Amino acid sequence: MESDLRDLVNMGRIAADLAHDAEGEPPTCEKRNLAMFGIYHLREMLLRFEMKYDDGDWRLGGGKPGT
């Protein structure tokens, strides 16, 4: 599961980087802006999940396994 988690987090980073590089001035449309928001929000959620996983605090409600 760990390698799957790392792949997922890395793909979130890649998607956010690609979205950032594709961003134009001025913003072109509301649908695009909503998609960008979704990508950036997903990236942040994945990074937080990865940090919780690394800390052993990944279960619902927090806490270390066995506590």
Side-chain angles (χ1 to χ4, degrees), residues 41-58:
H41 188 65
L42 174 62
R43 178 184 174 270
E44 292 304 313
M45 291 172 66
L46 289 168
L47 291 173
R48 280 195 304 270
F49 183 83
E50 182 182 41
M51 286 190 314
K52 284 184 175 186
Y53 179 84
D54 288 341
D55 290 341
D57 188 21
W58 55 271

Side-chain angles (χ1 to χ4, degrees), residues 4 23 28 32-34 38-40 51 53-55 60 63:
D4 291 339
E23 218 169 350
T28 54
R32 182 187 149 282
N33 291 339
L34 289 172
I39 289 169
Y40 290 133
M51 286 190 314
Y53 179 84
D54 288 341
D55 290 341
L60 186 61

Side-chain angles (χ1 to χ4, degrees), residues 7-22:
D7 287 346
L8 181 62
V9 171
N10 285 331
M11 188 52 64
R13 287 182 180 131
I14 290 168
D17 289 345
L18 290 171
H20 178 75
D21 292 345

